[in-house]
Amino acid sequence: MNSHFPALIIVVPLLSAFVIVMAGWLNKKYCFPLAAAALGSSLVSAVAMLSRVMDSGPFTYHLGGWAPPWGIEYRVDHLNALVLVVVAAVAFINLIATRAIVRADFPEKTGSFYGLYSLFATGLLGVVVTGDAFNLFVLLEITALTGYALIGIGKQHAPLASLNYIFMGTIGASFYLLGVGYLYLATGTLNMADLALHLSKISGSTVVLAAFLICLTGLYMKMALFPLHAWLPNAYACAPSAAAGIIAPLTTKVMVYVLIRITLFVFTPAFTYAHLPLNQAMIWLASLAIVMGSILALSQKSLKKILVYIIVAEVGYMVGGLWIGNRISISGSILHIVNDAAMTLCVFLAAAGLQFKLKGDSFIALRGSFRKMPYTMAALVVGGLSIIGVPPTCGFFSKWYLISGALTAGTYQFVVALLLNSLVNVVLFFRIFEIGYFEPFPGQDSHRGQKAQAINEAPLSMVAMLLLVSAGLIALGLFSSDMVTRIILPSIPAGIL
Amino acid sequence: MKTFGIIAVVLCGALLIYGTVDFPEWGDPASPASTYVSPYYIEHSIPDTSVPNIVTAILADYRGYDTMFETAVVFAAGIACIFLLRIEKRDSPRSRLYRHIPTGVTIRIEQGGRLPEGSRDLERIDSVWVPYDLIIKTGCRLVIPFIQLFALYVIAHGHHSPGGGFQGGVIFGAAIILYALAYDLRTAQTHLPIRTSVLLSSTGVLIYAGTGALCLLLGANFLNYSALAGLLGVDPVTARSHGILIVEIGVALAVMAVMVGLYYIISSAGRLDEGL
Amino acid sequence: MDPVIAFIIAKYNYWMYIILMMIGLCGMIIKKNLIKKIIGMNIFQTAIILFYISIAAKKNATIPIIAHAHGDGHAAVNAAGIINPLPHVLMLTAIVVAVATLGVALALAIKIYRQYHTLEEDEIISQIRE
Amino acid sequence: MATIYSIKPLLAVIVSLLLIPVLISSRTPNIREGWTFAIALAKFLIVASMVPAVLLGNQIVFTVAEIIPGLAIRFKVDALGILFALVASLLWIVTSAYSIGYMRGLKEHSQTRYFCFFALALSATIGVAFSANLLTLYLFYEMLSFATYPLVTHHQDREARSSGRKYLLYIVGPSIGLVLPAMLICYHLTGTLEFTPRGFLAGAASPLMTAVLLFMFIFGFAKAAIMPMHAWLPAAMVAPTPVSALLHAVAVVKVGVFSIARVMTGVFGVDLLAGLHLGTIVCYIAGFTVIVASLMAISQDGLKRRLAFSTIGQLSYIVLGVALLSPKGMTGGLVHIAMHAFGKITLFFCAGAIFVATGKKYISEMTGIGKRMPVTMVAFFIGSLSVIGLPPTGGFFSKWYLVLGTLESGQTTMLIILLTSSLLNAAYFLPIVYHAFFCSPEKAMFGDDIQEAPLWCVVPPVITAAGSVFLFFYPTLFVRLAELAIGL
């Protein structure tokens, strides 16, 4: 049975999505268990695939029984096995954690919500595992479409934000499709491994360079790299917190994975790093993204808006790490995909808990939150420390690899940008901790001798998951060395020095 | 904003034109696209799947996985619109309009009063008053069955002529939408309520993914129809052709149901009471 | 004719799709009304579908359906005589994707209209500002 | 010079972490205080059990986890580490006794949180003391900064918020902005961060880069409160006095100085610094800090602020001693860690006792307090003698070695700085004692019901005062450890 895991990881949530929607109309109480079972089984098969790849190296799976250039092929190697586990784990944990919130926000639409949720997870898993360029576009569209719906259902101006997301997302996806069209025109095949073979033969022609630039612009738009990030802040901030819990940590990270897959495995490193001015420009772009992301975050007034701009800055980390081009910085950016997904999940779950219990996440609503919700705020502290980059947590280690990679390559603007971002993150998070810790002044006299307010903690499933994730952040930090040596370094193709 | 937009567009156009320098001429038979992978499909589609229409062969078999996700996209769009727009608690309308069929006289009842349902010669009409349209109604009533028949033909004949699941499904959906346009949304919903349309669309997609999973259970790779040979009692090649047909039916069902569901939801802006 | 004009004539299908695409992009960026933006998006997607289909074309080749009678042997099929079917399959998917995105965009436009009673972007933004 | 592999260093660091779940779950305050005492004692005993092995010259090593290829979280207990850990864990026992009296005397709120973060801070301090490489040191250094933030801002009022903000700005900012890049550059240049006896940076970088790295470390470790980076210490006096006593006199500030000493001896190495004359530059920076801090201390009216500025001055003695690079000078600097700890903690305890008993914070309000609180003021007198460096107390020894060190390395300006600063120390301590005992206030400063603070607040200063006198007669333990640390 284990040879079918690549298919199982996608088919089980896909089938469950359709059954959940039917259950939504027939009998609502089966929706959540179905979704949990499906995503749980995906997590199990992802872990099984990762262990298989670590033991016996990459393996392929031919869909429909047809050999690669003709049929669609799944190539599972170290890189996408690792990202698969991250995606499956984040989707599963967020599903369990935000159960009470979904029941409170959409009492009569839980069927459709969980259907869209598992379709979204299926799309992401498919994007990560597929080895065919056009199939990747179709799966991108499923992820995007369900994402538009999940965001569009939010309050205040969520529909407008979602519509803007549609415009930018469609332009991005269509540019990617156009890039694949140029590649198909130049080589005649759609399979990624096959493309790499043929592209190396004709790497001189302008078609390949044009396809490269078009694919990059498309992917940058989908991952909201700084100049093209206009859609992300409103979309993620207005999204309902249950949906934001899966969209925020995963979409941009999976798009960075796609960028790494395209630049390193389709356009082989020899081609990608051949154009010096392009690399320098991209590193400057990434540093700009980091700096602008943190500066914009300073001027925000609500917790979620701050976290969203931090995501924009984190995208700059990964893109910069990729473009620096040595093994250390690329392993840093791959490690950051894993770490950043975990960190963003931790802080977004905490924000969801706060918004659920304190009715809103603006700075006024957060006053005295350490007293009312100690465990959620403790998780937010751990998540914040990880985003700042404090040693035991995982955020520090990906910064470590990125900075040492940048030092060896001599790109000092990236180092300065990373350090500046850490300092700004300290200000951002401690401003929130101050509000949660010191205020409210006017309401009571200073806290001397005042009985502790009733602890009004988030629901148990949420708190349990929050503590699990924050413990995971520290565990990821301590085991990052094993992850790098045994999974990430073998996943980087040979052509990189 | 305008100037920035134009600059971006011109820049993008220049990038694209720069890319086309090394393109092969239009229709040049020696271009890489038509000399590498596609000749295999053309030569082997009959021996592999015994389906003369190569596009259907590729669509449902060689790249059947893409099409499965394509149907999932259609399904996702249907569910997304229902999820976004549906309004549960509908407040009852202030005034109701009725028409006396024999004489064509319309009656308006205020303050939410209503007439008994079954009255034979009084029919309820939309608040956006539609002129008496006997010609359209009878015309549509005559045409719709033939459209549906043609849709079934397109689905079934996908192997031999241009057509297949999507096109057939859309035509079938169009027939039902025509019915909803000719009469009004309420009567169309009596024949195909939104609940059945969603259930039909999920069964359609389940048929597609189910056959794939069935092949998995029978030991072959996912969506490898030759594994159905044992089940269908035919040799593997015709098993593939039958597999394609089953899958096309699933797709048609899903597409039809989603088109109808989309029309119901979008035309009545989620209230599902009065459409176009 | 000198090479430049020959160059332009030989590849006019690519100019078509680039022009169409730029019109779509303009529509999306410059226009203020949301529905016009959605139409622009649709034009943009259709342009790419046109590009793919133009790849499939071969000079004097027939449609990709192999003439046959039931059950008889198969005449040797020569690939040059039949156009490339693969882009057509891909574009079937792209068309469905374009329709799905259009549907969701229209649903959101309805939701926006129900909330702000207008579809002009600058009016909506001024309403949000208050 | 053997290396022993044992789990003791990890136990020493982890044992106070075990206190946190116990504290949260203990119902009555007495159980909570009892547990704090037990854990403090256990920690001291674990540390003390390692002293004999270290005195024989061998090191105790324990590797926790390899977190980066080629780098691990590793503890290495050597003479320098054990010297600092002994002082910190011994004084924690006394401080937990003192904080019982203080917190109950003033009926402070959320005391469980106070004790938990106190235990966390101590485990971080011992972690820094035992760290074997720069990464582990940085890890526990950051942990200490974030663990002490809730302690400094304990009163949760507006003033606590602004001083907490300054605390973060001055400590976390330089640590991320300066120490992190410096550490990464060292790793990039040499491929290792392990502290080696003669330093691993020799020859790996150009003289200019070495100097820049040294200054990044010195100003990065802002907890050492060297002049431009000192503003957070007076601001942190808003914390409850036990926090100021143990953390801002012994643990936190000494971590800063300890890290600088570790970096100068373990990363750069004495001969590299001497070769590039960087030692003398650091001496001048430290000397400048000593003089200016002592001058500012004189002008402070708040008793705790004056003690804070005096601490800034005393810390720079240690940096000055290490920067002299001569054997006697370095021994004096390292011994001063212990001597100053006992002296300064007594002074803070007395300040706290006065505040608990009379509620007075300012020196101008303390004339004639000696008659009301004789025991506290005598302890205050002994503590100030130790800080000034006069014979009957241990402080004399470190000053003695420092002066010999300056003579040995021929730094006459440093000699002048040392002597003038000792005079300045006397100038800002003795007036307090004189006013307290020999003058009587014009109007009645104190109601007649004022007398000594509760027992829990008076006994600890007496113990630590006795400790610093004891150190005068038996300093051999700390002197021997200091000499071992320098590799004599």
Side-chain angles (χ1 to χ4, degrees), chain D residues 140-410:
Chain D
F140 286 107
Y141 183 90
E142 287 283 319
M143 193 168 132
L144 186 62
S145 335
F146 291 114
T148 46
Y149 177 77
L151 291 172
V152 168
T153 57
H154 187 74
H155 294 313
Q156 287 174 304
D157 50 17
R158 231 173 275 283
E159 196 200 351
R161 184 218 286 251
S162 64
S163 69
R165 202 170 276 186
K166 190 181 271 193
Y167 182 78
L168 274 181
L169 180 71
Y170 275 93
I171 289 193
V172 178
S175 114
I176 290 180
L178 294 171
V179 173
L180 183 60
M183 182 166 65
L184 274 159
I185 292 169
C186 284
Y187 181 68
H188 167 59
L189 288 175
T190 60
T192 167
L193 285 174
E194 297 296 323
F195 295 127
T196 46
R198 304 257 44 94
F200 60 86
L201 209 56
S206 67
L208 176 69
M209 176 59 104
T210 323
V212 164
L213 278 178
L214 180 65
F215 290 131
M216 280 169 91
F217 277 120
I218 284 184
F219 294 118
F221 287 123
K223 287 197 175 115
I226 292 185
M227 216 52 202
M229 298 289 179
H230 69 290
W232 63 272
L233 195 53
M237 284 308 131
V238 82
T241 314
V243 173
S244 317
L246 184 68
L247 295 182
H248 297 299
V250 172
V252 171
V253 286
K254 291 291 188 317
V255 157
V257 167
F258 175 84
S259 315
I260 290 180
R262 201 47 128 184
V263 160
M264 286 172 81
T265 54
V267 175
F268 290 86
V270 175
D271 23 26
L272 177 72
L273 294 175
L276 298 169
H277 300 296
L278 289 174
T280 42
I281 303 168
V282 174
C283 278
Y284 277 104
I285 298 172
F288 170 76
T289 317
V290 166
I291 296 297
V292 171
S294 310
L295 288 174
M296 289 169 79
I298 296 171
S299 60
Q300 295 298 333
D301 186 25
L303 178 56
K304 281 177 78 176
R305 283 186 72 84
R306 177 171 291 191
L307 292 177
F309 277 103
S310 138
T311 310
I312 295 172
Q314 299 298 325
L315 291 177
S316 294
Y317 272 102
I318 301 168
V319 174
L320 189 135
V322 173
L324 283 172
L325 303 179
S326 66
K328 281 276 188 302
M330 292 177 83
T331 326
L334 296 180
V335 165
H336 197 60
I337 294 180
M339 302 311 176
H340 171 260
F342 280 88
K344 190 48 66 61
I345 202 164
T346 325
L347 298 174
F348 268 106
F349 280 166
C350 302
I354 295 167
F355 181 62
V356 167
T358 63
K360 296 280 189 294
K361 282 189 179 172
Y362 296 98
I363 298 169
S364 47
E365 298 161 346
M366 291 182 188
T367 47
I369 193 167
K371 301 181 187 61
R372 290 277 193 272
M373 304 172 68
V375 175
T376 317
M377 291 323 287
V378 163
F380 188 89
F381 175 61
I382 296 169
S384 47
L385 283 183
S386 167
V387 171
I388 298 163
L390 293 175
T393 58
F396 166 75
F397 259 94
S398 44
K399 282 276 171 68
W400 174 261
Y401 273 99
L402 279 172
V403 165
L404 287 179
T406 48
L407 292 176
E408 204 174 40
S409 63

Side-chain angles (χ1 to χ4, degrees), chain A residues 3-262:
Chain A
S3 72
H4 291 295
F5 273 128
L8 277 180
I9 194 170
I10 303 293
V11 166
V12 169
L14 188 68
L15 284 174
S16 76
F18 309 142
V19 173
I20 289 169
V21 168
M22 285 169 96
W25 287 83
L26 302 174
N27 176 345
K28 291 222 177 331
K29 77 174 158 47
Y30 290 116
C31 295
F32 176 77
L34 267 171
L39 288 176
S41 80
S42 289
L43 182 57
V44 163
S45 38
V47 168
M49 276 206 285
L50 180 63
S51 57
R52 180 170 170 204
V53 164
M54 276 158 70
D55 304 343
S56 59
F59 60 96
T60 62
Y61 184 86
H62 300 163
L63 270 311
W66 299 105
W70 297 287
I72 293 170
E73 176 214 31
Y74 273 4
R75 277 187 64 75
V76 181
D77 61 6
H78 294 270
L79 179 62
N80 60 9
L82 179 66
V83 178
L84 266 180
V85 171
V86 169
V87 169
V90 167
F92 183 67
I93 290 173
N94 183 53
L95 182 82
I96 307 283
T98 55
R99 177 179 189 181
I101 294 178
V102 168
R103 211 180 297 130
D105 281 1
F106 331 97
E108 75 290 344
K109 290 181 177 172
T110 47
S112 319
F113 180 84
Y114 282 124
L116 288 172
Y117 186 95
S118 48
L119 265 179
F120 183 83
T122 320
L124 279 180
L125 291 170
V127 163
V128 172
V129 84
T130 185
D132 184 280
F134 186 78
N135 193 350
L136 191 115
F137 166 74
V138 177
L139 290 157
L140 271 182
E141 275 309 312
I142 288 189
T143 328
L145 209 65
T146 40
Y148 304 146
L150 288 173
I151 290 173
I153 196 74
K155 296 181 202 45
Q156 309 125 8
H157 45 280
L160 184 69
S162 183
L163 196 57
N164 283 334
Y165 183 18
I166 286 183
F167 293 140
M168 297 289 273
T170 314
I171 296 179
S174 307
F175 266 118
Y176 173 74
L177 182 62
L178 193 62
V180 170
Y182 273 39
L183 289 179
Y184 177 69
L185 193 67
T187 59
T189 166
L190 284 170
N191 183 300
M192 287 189 192
D194 218 14
L195 269 174
L197 232 63
H198 285 78
L199 282 180
S200 52
K201 294 199 197 80
I202 52 164
S203 62
S205 80
T206 54
V207 179
V208 180
L209 186 64
F212 186 61
L213 293 177
I214 292 170
C215 274
L216 279 192
T217 26
L219 291 176
Y220 282 165
M221 212 171 277
K222 291 286 281 183
M223 73 176 72
L225 192 66
F226 171 66
L228 309 167
H229 73 294
W231 56 272
L232 187 129
N234 294 338
Y236 286 2
C238 305
S241 29
I246 184 170
I247 294 173
L250 290 181
T251 348
T252 46
K253 293 8 148 213
V254 167
M255 291 318 296
V256 169
Y257 158 78
V258 171
L259 178 72
I260 291 176
R261 176 68 73 190
I262 296 287

Side-chain angles (χ1 to χ4, degrees), chain A residues 296-314:
Chain A
L296 289 172
L298 276 173
S299 56
Q300 297 308 324
K301 281 288 161 287
S302 86
L303 175 60
K304 270 211 172 147
K305 269 289 177 67
I306 291 176
L307 297 179
V308 159
Y309 277 104
I310 287 177
I311 291 178
V312 171
E314 303 279 335

Side-chain angles (χ1 to χ4, degrees), chain B:
Chain B
M1 187 53 191
K2 218 160 149 36
T3 53
F4 166 72
I6 292 174
I7 294 163
V9 166
V10 165
L11 202 71
C12 182
L15 172 75
L16 293 174
I17 290 171
Y18 161 73
T20 58
V21 167
D22 281 357
F23 270 9
E25 263 81 16
W26 184 54
D28 148 28
S31 78
S34 35
T35 53
Y36 181 42
V37 170
S38 62
Y40 174 87
Y41 291 132
I42 297 170
E43 279 130 15
H44 291 81
S45 82
I46 292 266
D48 281 356
T49 59
S50 75
V51 169
N53 180 353
I54 306 171
V55 173
T56 316
I58 301 173
L59 184 74
D61 190 358
Y62 289 107
R63 294 188 70 90
Y65 197 62
D66 267 352
T67 321
M68 182 173 86
F69 280 111
E70 193 186 318
T71 346
V73 163
V74 169
F75 174 75
I79 297 305
C81 291
I82 294 169
F83 178 64
L84 283 171
L85 284 178
R86 188 126 190 272
I87 301 172
E88 293 306 320
K89 312 165 283 311
R90 288 201 312 267
D91 42 16
S92 67
R94 294 290 313 137
S95 69
R96 284 169 177 265
L97 277 173
Y98 287 89
R99 170 186 296 127
H100 185 247
I101 299 172
T103 59
V105 167
T106 50
I107 313 152
R108 170 195 298 276
I109 302 178
E110 291 296 337
Q111 279 93 29
R114 63 176 65 223
L115 283 176
E117 276 315 314
S119 58
R120 205 172 32 73
D121 49 9
L122 272 172
E123 59 164 355
R124 184 152 177 233
I125 53 172
D126 288 351
S127 54
V128 174
W129 188 62
V130 172
Y132 192 65
D133 53 6
L134 181 65
I135 301 156
I136 297 172
K137 274 194 187 150
T138 41
C140 289
R141 228 180 34 249
L142 287 175
V143 165
I144 285 170
F146 293 103
I147 298 175
Q148 286 170 342
L149 201 61
F150 176 68
L152 293 180
Y153 161 74
V154 166
I155 298 168
H157 215 260
H159 285 235
H160 302 283
S161 67
F166 290 98
Q167 299 83 340
V170 167
I171 299 169
F172 207 99
I176 297 168
I177 292 170
L178 179 63
Y179 183 78
L181 282 172
Y183 293 81
D184 55 22
L185 203 61
R186 262 186 299 285
T187 43
Q189 286 210 328
T190 52
H191 292 282
L192 183 69
I194 185 82
R195 189 164 174 279
T196 0
S197 96
V198 169
L199 294 179
L200 268 180
S201 68
S202 359
T203 36
V205 192
L206 267 176
I207 288 171
Y208 195 121
T211 28
L214 193 60
C215 308
L216 200 63
L217 294 178
L218 293 171
N221 277 2
F222 185 69
L223 279 178
N224 182 352
Y225 305 120
S226 52
L228 302 175
L231 216 61
L232 301 170
V234 278
D235 62 291
V237 175
T238 40
R240 277 190 180 279
S241 147
H242 294 320
I244 292 173
L245 185 62
I246 299 166
V247 153
E248 290 288 340
I249 293 162
V251 165
L253 208 61
V255 169
M256 180 274 289
V258 165
M259 287 303 145
V260 168
L262 273 180
Y263 169 73
Y264 283 169
I265 278 288
I266 291 184
S267 64
S268 66
R271 282 190 298 279
L272 292 171
D273 52 3
E274 282 162 2
L276 300 180

